[in-house]
Amino acid sequence: MMEAPGPFFFLVRDGVVAPELLTPLLARLPPEQYVRTRVRDGEGLDSLRWPVARDAALASALARRFAAPEVASARLEVEAAAGDAPRLRSLMRRAGARYVAAAGGEPALFRQWWRDATADDLALFAEPPWPAPTAAVVLNLCSAYHAAADGLYAFHVHRRLPGPSAEAVVQLFKQALAHKLIDAAGLVDAAVELVSAGESTFARPPSPAARPMIEAIADACAEVCRVTGASRCTVMSETFAIPSPPAAVSFMILAGKRALVVLELPGSPAWTSRIAGLRSRPLSTRVGGSGRFELVLGEGEREEDRAAAAVAALCFFVEASLAAHVAAYPEDEPVFPPVDDAMIGRMFG
């Protein structure tokens, strides 16, 4: 039971998914380790074995199986707001209003459950109600994304329990299962695909000494995704990709002489134009004992520059990490060779 990660903890416990189905998934997961994150002013926690962002991604994969246009629209909204807890709270609250209205509830009941209800939320009760099953799917989808952005609490970590994001995925899966849109094996396959998409690749195996650095860079990419809302952040060259090769390239910048930072982003956010300027001056980063990267905005730096500054700081972090590693372990020079125009041409030409 304790081995089942994320939503599978509940699904195995409740007899919905047979434990033996998880064998290919468990084989790909590292040992459990919890880390502190920046969410809730540094009080948030996350699992390196099954990050809460993976719950959101699995929720999105399940939502894709529903044909209702309302679900498709909600999926695009939550994916664009990924990592932004206040924005996701607003989307979840709105989905809650539609769910209560679809169930025949009154605005007064909704306000009892949602003390921060707005006039716009309450106005939804005057609109034609959504079909109740559709409203439930959208609410669970929004809940999974919001809970992932909120992170794990000490309560969950102390008891080694998945967070609310996993519980929302369970409800989504049960809805998809009831509509014969997926079965237990299909859910495991989707989870394996998500885990595989996060695995680093190398043209030549690095030395064992590189493992802590690789894990630190992968953690840093995850942190940048949380800050920027990017669906993927990859540090890469022709010979490696950490944590995984991108499916598409929305933004790319050199991170020193040995790597590129590549982002997959929804739309074309204006803040990307400020990355190069921030890259040209030092930024403060903090690295804890676990090798975690964290951006620290200095005095006079604007909160609206946090996303751009996070990418710029990641570039500094990667440049320093790779330079120090290759200097200490020259046998890894072929694993992390210098990037030149010819290499970029081969990669993206």
Side-chain angles (χ1 to χ4, degrees):
M1 174 68 67
M2 294 303 294
E3 282 195 277
F8 296 101
F9 175 90
F10 301 109
L11 293 169
V12 170
R13 182 197 65 185
D14 298 342
V16 180
V17 172
E20 55 270 22
L21 282 179
L22 297 184
T23 300
L25 175 62
L26 297 178
R28 293 177 175 270
L29 299 180
E32 185 60 276
Q33 181 182 353
Y34 294 102
V35 295
R36 192 170 296 280
T37 68
R38 290 180 53 257
V39 301
R40 300 198 314 278
D41 297 323
E43 293 297 322
L45 297 160
D46 203 356
S47 162
L48 295 185
R49 184 168 188 255
W50 186 270
V52 289
R54 194 172 289 155
D55 288 332
L58 194 54
S60 183
L62 286 168
R64 287 175 182 271
R65 295 174 179 262
F66 291 88
E70 296 90 345
V71 176
S73 178
R75 182 178 57 78
L76 293 176
E77 285 186 303
V78 295
E79 288 179 356
D84 186 338
R87 186 175 168 192
L88 290 166
R89 168 77 182 180
S90 176
L91 292 174
M92 182 174 64
R93 192 178 60 235
R94 189 176 71 189
R98 292 197 184 279
Y99 177 73
V100 172
E106 297 295 327
L109 175 63
F110 173 71
R111 294 193 68 174
Q112 289 180 16
W113 292 347
W114 300 80
R115 299 294 184 182
D116 57 343
T118 67
D120 287 341
D121 298 328
L122 298 173
L124 296 174
F125 286 85
E127 297 181 1
W130 285 6
T134 297
V137 168
V138 170
L139 178 57
N140 285 319
L141 173 64
C142 293
S143 298
Y145 267 82
H146 177 263
D150 199 36
L152 296 175
Y153 286 69
F155 172 90
H156 304 111
V157 172
H158 179 68
R159 293 164 177 78
R160 296 179 69 85
L161 290 171
S165 55
E167 297 181 64
V169 174
V170 168
Q171 296 306 313
L172 263 177
F173 170 67
K174 289 181 177 179
Q175 290 168 293
L177 186 66
H179 287 84
K180 300 185 179 348
L181 301 177
I182 193 171
D183 58 14
L187 181 67
V188 175
D189 288 343
V192 169
E193 184 177 343
L194 287 175
V195 173
S196 300
E199 293 177 344
S200 300
T201 60
F202 297 91
R204 172 173 172 167
S207 68
R211 182 172 179 177
M213 178 195 67
I214 293 167
E215 291 177 350
I217 290 175
D219 290 347
C221 288
E223 185 69 20
V224 167
C225 284
R226 278 189 280 269
V227 172
T228 63
S231 56
R232 188 173 301 180
C233 172
T234 304
V235 173
M236 66 181 298
S237 77
E238 189 177 34
T239 59
F240 71 94
I242 305 172
S244 62
V249 177
S250 304
F251 177 85
M252 178 176 69
I253 188 171
L254 273 170
K257 71 175 188 176
R258 298 180 183 275
L260 298 159
V261 168
V262 175
L263 301 178
E264 290 182 41
L265 292 161
S268 301
W271 56 261
T272 57
S273 64
R274 299 197 291 273
I275 295 174
L278 291 167
R279 180 75 175 97
S280 66
R281 61 185 178 83
L283 288 168
S284 176
T285 61
R286 226 175 10 226
V287 183
S290 64
R292 294 280 295 178
F293 156 94
E294 182 180 357
L295 170 69
V296 182
L297 285 179
E299 186 177 352
E301 291 175 325
R302 302 176 302 172
E303 181 62 29
E304 56 263 36
D305 281 335
R306 182 173 292 277
V311 179
L314 175 63
C315 292
F316 286 109
F317 180 76
V318 169
E319 181 177 12
S321 298
L322 290 178
H325 177 78
V326 172
Y329 302 94
E331 65 269 27
D332 276 344
E333 170 75 33
V335 181
F336 306 106
V339 173
D340 56 24
D341 289 343
M343 180 187 289
I344 294 175
R346 291 191 298 272
M347 293 168 63
F348 302 107

